[in-house]
Structure formats: structure tokens, C-alpha cells
């Protein structure tokens, strides 16, 4: 089994799909000659040429719209936002065109497009460049939202997204691009709407996704040394949501902590909590708890950024309280 | 100007107290120094005084409530004064630790009180313009959990479902979860302890296990003895003493006292305290305390007498026992023990001694080893007087012996020193007239 970085896994997924289907192309700022702001598209310009790996001006609203138009006429664009913070400029295109076109055209115009890029906090990128938008996009019918944590999941889910005939919001994380993980040899797909148990446990379920798992998994490891058995469920797919996977774990452990990188108010964890209390109310032995980013714009100072985000310490403390 | 009266710190170690009984009621006038209420601290029931003069405008703490030091208990001011803002302030400051228990505080309640019950504060402190609350019925009397008394059972959804499936009445279950919530483990424990039908696989019913609350005294005993047993390197010295002369002297002494109309009857323990005091004068190393960076050799001889009281034990001290006669010691011990059982001892009467005697002879114990009462360096455990054959002048004759065990803190008392102390102690007891000198 090969060990790949997260960026290499994304690169492999796009390259394999583009080799198969000439209608797929990559478009965004710095994706071509610079080989990606985060070096995700390394070697792709050389391989596919300027018609399929297209550098754009700084104009998210423009190139997102161009991508949607291309999808309407049969192409399969992959649109890279340098970060999801910049997608705000294109949000009208994403929400009002990409998400609704298929519905409003009574199925005449499916939009097979992938919007991908770095989400969440990087490291000292401050308030405007350190935001988690999965709950924003998950709110919109017509969009699919994915947020994989491991290179293997990133590979399998990106290939699935590219093949899907609906617009997909594919959220990566700047701090994950260099993370390494085993990716099976040969082609494989991971279905949307399928969570993954990253660690088996019996006493409490932690539901998390994307970068937040960087804190959750080591915390679970430390808690295990104290004799506290935590199950870690990685959503991977925010919309569609693996409701049955979540509920099965909750029915097993009876306690739930949701850990997410984004803010608390109207964060996606609230939707997960709603689902659990509605469908597994009689299995709950404690209130559902959440750990999120503090309810402030992300500070620039390194120490404040750290204390604003979820952390191993916060998770361990909360789990101990819940297990008591 | 009206003021909030607070739970007073009545002993140096008191962090919380149970308001046992109000001696004043709403509308009563009070002056500084007047007794407002009786409060149970970790070791005794003490009187809490008023610091302000005026009228009690509101009682904020119910009898039986366990409150931290500084918690609001009453509002004292001029009659008719507006206390709306003080009520709000008291409400925001109050954090009752447990529900009132109507059972006498001194006796262990058959049912545990929850760690904390929601809305104790709001039920304790009335909203402005409301009637003062009436004390709640004793939960124990109806066999209901506190949450059930409040008209709702606080249980997790899972616990409710499991209880329903098992036919368990949740109002009879004590919650061990946050704020007394009944959670899965409480139901599982209930199921395992007592089948849902109440019929056990055995011939008779199995009594359901219960969790008993831990009183302040029990907590103190637990923390102090764990500390002593884990921090003081104990070793034990046993000795058997010929008690013939002592028993004989005591009988004569008591019959003389009776004839002279004295009501007091001396116990063997009174002589033992006197002998211990004189032995401590002879071997002052035992009358010392470990103080981390030095050893404090005490100048005084204050001997504690372990007294068993309901729910625990307490050690009042006979001060300057070396300077008191056996008769004085007897009177002092009797008076201290009687007040100990009534929980009327003051903190200074049961703290800061130099040596302790613990006697279980009256319970039929021949011998035992006691845990040192920190920071003392030793404790003497005394058994009962046993009639048995002994060898005297090469012949086996009927005799009376007394077994004692000296537990020593090895940091302060070495084996030879402890043995030396016991030797002196034995000499006094085997020649008891010397105790009357």
C-alpha cells in the first residue's frame, strides 16, 4: 500500500479521472503554471495542457460562473478556490446557479461540477482566511458537501465527486495537505453519505470530520490509557449524511460529543445533534455535547488561535466530565 | 440598611455546614451575638451568632440544607425595609449543596441525598413578594427520591426506557449522574441488585443495595485516617500487663467514692490516661510531632480519648493530663464524652492534642492496633481486662491481664523508644498506687 500525502492523493484522483474523461478540466487561480497555491495540481499542466488546466484571474465570481456554464453544456469542471474564504465572492453562483439549476430546469441541466479548496484555519491566517463553511453549504438543497480527513478518503471521495452529476463542495484543509496516510493501490471509490469509524469504542461516540480529527484521535488515544473507551466516527460526508452510521454508534455508546472546527451557532454539529435526539432519543444517557471554535473571529496571534480552536485538552476534559 | 447574613465559618477546617435548626424565625428581633441557628460542622453541632442588629426580614436557608461558608442564610434589617434587591442578590449567590433532610442530621439517613438538586436555591429563597417556603417533606418518609418529590423524575431518556422495560419505578431509584440524574448504570445496578418482580432466585428477598450519604464527620474521618495511614510510617508494639493490682485498686477506690457519696465511678481507662500522661513525662520523645523540617517536642501533655458517637467518632482532649488526679481525669472524660455524644464540643476541645488513648475493652476486644491521630506520634490501643491463668513465682495462678498496643510514627519514635515508654507505662499500671501520688 502506498503512503501518500493528502495533496498527492487529491492529485492522483484528479489525474486518474482526467485521463479517463476528456470532458473533465481543472480551473482556478494558480492551478497551472504555479501548480496550485497548495501544490495540489503538481504536474497536471504538463500532463494535460492549458486547455484542461486553466489559470484564471482573481475573479471567483467569474470563473465559478464559467464553470457552471461549462457544466450546463456537458463538460465536467473541477473549480479550485485557493481557499473557501474566497468562495464568498462566488457564493451567488454556487447557491443560486449551481445548486438550483437542475431543479429549476426540471432535470434538463444537471451540473456535474466540483468546487474544491482549503477550508478552516491554516496557521495565523487571521479572521478573514480561517473559516469553516461546511454548514453554510450543507444548508443548501442541491449541493453535496464533503470534508475528508485522510489521504485515502480524500482520494476515494474526490473521484466519486468528479463522477457525480451534482455540484459538490469539496472541503480540504491547509494543515492536512502535508499529512501522510496509506492509500490502497489501484482505483477505488468511496461513496458519499458513508461515515467511517476511525476508532472503535464503547463508552462515548465522538462525531467529527476534517481537521478536527487531528485533535480527536490523539485525545481518544490518551483517554484509552485512562480506561475510557471512545468511538471516533468520521463523517467524511456532510451532505448526504450517514444517519444510520451515526445512530448505530450512538445506540452502542449512549453518549455523544460532536467536535467541529467551525463555530457553534448554527454549526453543522447542531444538525447532527438534532438528528440524534430525534432518532435515538431513548438511547441517550447524557445530553449531547459539542466542542467548536470559540464564538469569535479567528485571532491572528498564534496563542489565541490555538485557544480558539478545539484541542486535545478540551476534548479530554469534556469526555471525562461526560463519562463520570 | 438591611444586610444578608451568611453561613459563618465556625471552625478552622469548616468549608460547609448543615443548618440543623433555626432558633429565630422571620420577624424576630436579633442583636449581635444572639444565637441565630444551630449548624453542624464536620465534627460538631455549633451555634451560629448574628453579627447585625435588626429584624429577621427573610429566612433564606431551610433547616437541613447543606451550605458552603459564606452562603446567604437570612436577611436582617429594619422592619418594613425593601429587600427585593437583596433577595435577588442572595438568589444569585446561593448554591445549596444538598437538599434538606428532615431526619435528624446526626443520624445517617437511610437514603442518600443527591449531590445537588436543581432549584434548591429557587425553592429555598423566595421570589420577592412570595410567601416564605415551607420545609419539604422528608423524602425518606415517603420513600421517594428528591426529584420525584419535586414532581418530576430526572432521568436520561435511555434510563427511562430501560426502567420501563424492566418494570422499575424510577421514583424509587437514586440517580448517580450529573445533578442526581438517573442514568443507565443506576438502572443496571437496580436490575442486578433486585429483579424487577422483586423475587430473587433465592428463597428470601434480597435487600436492595443502597448508597448512603457521607456525613461531614465521616468525610473528616476518611480523609484524616487515610492521610495518617499513608503518610505516617506506623509500627506496632504489643504488651501484656498484669492488671490484678489495678483492678483491685479501682474496686476499692470506687467503693470508697460510693460510700463518700460521690456519683462518679472511675473506669480502668481513667487510670490508663493518668499512666499514659506520666509515661509521656518520662519519655517525652513519644509526646512529640513530626513537622517536616523539625520534630516538635510538646511541653504540654494533652491526651485524647476516642469516643464512639453515632455516625463516627471524636477525640476530645484531657488537657494537662499529667497535672490532674485520676479522679479529675475521670470527671473530665465523663463530661467530655457526654457532650461529644450530644455534639456539643467546641473545636478547641477536640483538636491539637499530643497523644491519644483508644479503648475497645468495653466492646469485648482483647487487643487491637489503632491508627495514629495525626499529627501525634503515637496512639495507645487498649483491650479489656482478661481473667486467665498466669505464672507467678513459678506457679500457675488465676490472674488478670490487660493487653495494650502502642502504634508509633517511626519518623519520631523508634522501636526502643516506644518499648521504653511501654515499660514505664506498665510499671505505673502494675504499681497503680504510684498513679495516686
Amino acid at each position: 500500500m502506498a503512503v501518500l500525502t493528502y495533496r498527492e492523493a487529491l492529485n492522483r484522483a484528479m489525474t486518474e479521472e482526467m485521463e479517463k474523461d476528456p470532458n473533465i478540466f481543472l480551473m482556478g487561480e494558480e492551478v497551472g503554471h504555479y501548480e496550485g497555491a497548495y501544490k495540489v495540481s503538481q504536474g497536471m499542466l504538463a500532463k494535460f495542457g492549458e486547455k484542461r488546466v486553466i489559470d484564471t484571474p482573481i475573479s471567483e465570481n467569474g470563473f465559478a460562473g464559467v464553470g457552471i456554464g461549462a457544466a450546463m453544456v456537458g463538460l465536467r469542471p473541477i473549480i479550485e478556490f485557493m481557499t473557501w474564504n474566497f468562495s464568498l465572492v462566488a457564493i451567488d453562483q454556487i447557491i443560486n446557479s449551481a445548486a438550483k439549476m437542475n431543479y429549476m430546469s426540471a432535470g434538463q441541466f444537471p451540473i456535474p461540477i466540483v468546487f474544491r479548496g482549503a477550508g478552516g484555519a491554516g496557521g495565523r491566517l487571521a479572521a478573514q482566511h480561517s473559516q469553516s463553511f461546511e454548514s453554510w453549504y450543507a444548508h443548501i438543497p442541491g449541493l453535496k458537501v464533503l470534508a475528508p480527513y485522510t489521504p485515502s478518503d480524500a482520494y476515494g471521495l474526490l473521484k466519486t465527486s468528479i463522477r457525480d452529476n451534482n455540484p459538490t463542495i469539496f472541503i480540504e484543509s491547509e494543515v492536512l495537505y502535508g499529512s501522510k496516510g496509506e492509500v490502497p493501490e489501484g482505483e477505488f471509490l468511496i461513496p458519499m453519505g458513508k461515515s467511517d469509524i476511525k476508532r472503535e469504542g464503547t463508552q462515548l461516540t465522538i462525531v467529527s470530520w476534517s481537521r478536527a480529527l487531528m485533535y480527536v484521535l490523539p485525545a481518544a488515544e490518551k483517554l484509552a490509557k485512562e480506561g475510557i473507551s471512545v468511538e471516533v466516527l468520521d463523517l467524511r460526508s456532510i451532505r448526504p449524511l450517514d444517519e444510520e452510521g451515526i445512530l448505530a454508534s450512538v445506540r452502542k455508546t449512549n453518549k455523544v460529543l460532536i467536535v467541529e472546527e467551525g463555530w457553534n451557532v448554527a454549526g453543522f454539529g447542531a444538525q447532527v445533534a438534532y438528528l440524534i435526539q430525534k432518532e435515538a432519543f431513548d438511547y441517550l444517557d447524557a445530553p449531547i455535547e459539542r466542542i467548536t471554535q470559540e464564538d469569535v473571529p479567528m485571532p491572528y496571534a498564534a496563542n489565541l488561535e490555538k485557544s480558539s480552536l478545539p484541542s486535545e485538552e478540551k476534548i479530554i476534559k469534556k469526555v471525562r466530565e461526560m463519562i463520570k | 440598611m438591611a444586610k444578608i447574613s451568611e453561613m459563618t465559618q465556625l471552625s478552622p477546617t469548616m468549608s460547609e455546614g448543615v443548618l440543623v435548626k433555626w432558633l429565630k424565625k422571620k420577624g424576630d428581633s436579633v442583636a449581635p451575638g444572639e444565637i441565630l441557628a444551630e449548624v453542624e460542622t464536620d465534627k460538631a453541632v455549633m451555634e451560629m451568632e448574628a453579627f447585625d442588629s435588626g429584624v429577621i426580614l427573610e429566612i433564606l436557608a431551610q433547616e437541613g440544607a447543606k451550605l458552603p461558608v459564606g452562603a446567604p442564610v437570612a436577611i436582617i434589617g429594619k422592619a418594613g425595609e425593601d429587600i427585593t434587591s437583596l433577595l435577588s442578590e442572595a438568589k444569585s449567590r446561593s448554591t445549596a449543596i444538598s437538599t434538606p433532610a428532615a431526619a435528624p442530621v446526626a443520624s445517617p439517613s437511610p437514603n442518600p441525598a443527591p449531590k445537588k438538586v436543581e432549584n434548591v436555591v429557587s425553592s429555598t429563597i423566595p421570589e420577592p413578594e412570595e410567601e416564605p417556603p415551607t420545609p419539604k417533606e422528608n423524602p425518606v418518609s415517603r420513600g421517594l427520591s428528591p426529584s420525584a418529590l419535586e414532581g418530576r423524575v430526572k432521568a436520561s431518556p435511555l434510563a427511562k426506557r430501560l426502567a420501563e422495560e424492566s418494570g422499575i419505578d424510577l421514583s424509587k431509584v437514586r440517580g448517580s449522574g450529573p445533578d442526581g440524574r438517573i442514568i443507565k448504570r443506576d438502572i443496571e445496578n437496580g436490575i442486578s441488585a433486585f429483579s424487577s418482580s422483586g423475587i430473587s432466585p433465592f428463597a428470601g428477598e434480597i435487600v436492595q443495595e443502597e448508597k448512603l450519604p457521607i456525613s461531614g464527620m465521616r468525610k473528616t474521618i476518611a480523609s484524616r485516617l487515610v492521610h495518617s495511614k499513608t503518610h505516617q510510617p506506623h509500627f506496632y508494639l504489643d504488651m501484656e500487663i498484669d492488671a490484678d493490682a489495678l483492678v483491685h485498686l479501682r474496686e476499692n477506690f470506687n467503693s470508697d467514692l460510693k460510700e463518700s457519696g460521690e456519683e462518679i465511678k472511675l473506669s480502668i481507662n481513667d487510670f490508663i490516661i493518668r499512666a499514659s500522661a506520666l509515661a509521656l513525662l518520662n519519655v517525652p520523645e513519644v509526646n512529640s510531632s513530626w513537622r517536616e523540617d523539625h520534630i516538635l517536642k510538646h511541653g504540654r501533655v494533652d491526651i485524647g480519648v476516642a469516643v464512639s458517637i453515632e455516625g463516627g467518632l471524636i477525640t476530645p482532649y484531657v488537657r494537662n493530663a499529667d497535672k490532674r488526679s485520676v479522679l479529675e481525669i475521670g470527671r473530665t472524660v465523663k463530661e467530655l464524652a457526654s457532650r461529644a455524644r450530644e455534639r456539643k464540643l467546641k473545636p478547641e476541645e477536640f483538636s491539637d492534642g499530643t497523644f491519644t488513648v483508644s479503648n475497645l475493652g468495653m466492646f469485648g476486644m482483647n487487643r487491637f492496633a489503632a491508627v495514629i491521630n495525626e499529627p501525634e506520634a503515637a496512639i495507645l490501643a487498649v483491650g479489656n481486662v482478661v481473667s486467665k491463668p498466669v505464672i507467678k513465682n513459678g506457679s500457675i495462678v488465676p490472674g488478670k491481664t490487660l493487653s495494650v498496643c502502642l502504634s508509633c510514627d517511626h519518623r519520631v519514635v523508634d522501636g526502643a523508644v516506644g518499648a521504653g515508654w511501654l515499660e514505664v507505662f506498665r510499671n505505673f499500671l502494675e504499681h497503680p498506687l504510684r498513679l495516686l501520688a
Side-chain angles (χ1 to χ4, degrees), chain A residues 149 211-220 259 261 309-312 315:
Chain A
Y149 172 63
R211 182 212 183 160
L213 284 152
M214 278 177 64
Y215 315 114
V216 171
L217 289 165
V259 183
E261 195 185 352
L309 284 166
S311 67
E312 269 181 60
I315 294 162

Side-chain angles (χ1 to χ4, degrees), chain A residues 186-197:
Chain A
E187 185 178 84
F188 64 94
L189 300 177
I190 292 174
M192 295 185 191
K194 194 82 194 76
S195 64
D196 183 45
I197 302 284

Side-chain angles (χ1 to χ4, degrees), chain A residues 10-239:
Chain A
L10 294 169
N11 182 296
R12 180 176 137 190
M14 289 193 292
T15 302
E16 284 177 8
E17 292 304 303
M18 284 173 71
E19 282 170 340
K20 276 195 184 65
D21 185 347
N23 286 323
I24 301 170
F25 67 96
L26 174 65
M27 181 164 62
E29 295 156 6
E30 312 279 27
V31 297
H33 292 280
Y34 191 67
E35 299 193 306
Y38 293 108
K39 300 296 175 213
V40 173
S41 49
Q42 278 177 302
M44 289 178 67
L45 175 65
K47 197 173 191 95
F48 298 108
E50 288 191 348
K51 278 199 168 180
R52 296 187 66 198
V53 179
I54 304 164
D55 278 325
T56 67
I58 299 176
S59 56
E60 282 78 6
N61 193 39
F63 64 77
V66 169
I68 294 163
M72 285 174 73
V73 295
L75 297 181
R76 304 182 76 85
I78 304 168
I79 303 296
E80 178 177 302
F81 292 121
M82 195 179 287
T83 85
W84 277 99
N85 299 283
F86 305 157
S87 76
L88 300 189
V89 181
I91 205 161
D92 177 56
Q93 291 291 357
I94 299 168
I95 289 174
N96 277 328
S97 296
K100 294 167 184 162
M101 192 60 70
N102 195 33
Y103 174 81
M104 291 172 73
S105 66
Q108 294 179 85
F109 291 109
I111 308 292
I113 191 168
V114 177
F115 296 102
R116 46 159 295 271
R124 305 197 68 192
L125 296 179
Q128 294 171 312
H129 292 182
S130 309
Q131 301 169 95
S132 300
F133 288 122
E134 48 268 42
S135 67
W136 286 38
Y137 290 113
H139 186 62
I140 309 300
L143 294 179
K144 296 188 172 178
V145 183
L146 305 174
Y149 172 63
T150 63
S152 173
D153 289 349
Y155 167 85
L157 282 167
L158 184 54
K159 283 174 77 81
T160 303
S161 305
I162 294 167
R163 294 185 192 191
D164 197 279
N165 284 334
N166 297 286
T168 302
I169 306 294
F170 197 91
I171 298 172
E172 299 147 14
S173 165
E174 187 197 329
V175 292
L176 293 179
Y177 284 129
S179 64
K180 290 181 178 168
E182 289 186 336
V183 181
E185 306 288 350
E187 185 178 84
F188 64 94
L189 300 177
I190 292 174
M192 295 185 191
K194 194 82 194 76
S195 64
D196 183 45
I197 302 284
K198 288 284 190 281
R199 184 189 180 99
E200 295 264 349
T202 57
Q203 289 175 281
L204 180 144
T205 299
I206 297 183
V207 176
S208 191
W209 61 93
S210 190
R211 182 212 183 160
L213 284 152
M214 278 177 64
Y215 315 114
V216 171
L217 289 165
E221 184 67 35
K222 285 181 182 167
L223 286 161
K225 290 193 175 94
E226 294 177 20
I228 297 173
S229 171
V230 170
E231 179 142 307
V232 178
L233 184 136
D234 177 6
L235 286 184
R236 302 196 295 195
S237 176
I238 307 296
R239 185 179 181 126

Side-chain angles (χ1 to χ4, degrees), chain B residues 83-100:
Chain B
I83 54 166
T84 313
S85 62
L86 285 178
L87 280 172
S88 306
E89 183 193 331
K91 210 173 174 65
S92 64
R93 280 173 47 191
S94 284
T95 46
I97 301 167
S98 77
T99 44

Side-chain angles (χ1 to χ4, degrees), chain A residues 254 281-285 287, chain B residues 156-158 161 181 183-184:
Chain A
N254 312 121
F281 182 72
D282 287 329
Y283 289 88
L284 286 175
D285 206 26
Chain B
S156 77
L158 176 65
R161 181 168 62 85
R181 180 186 293 130
I183 56 176
K184 181 170 77 169

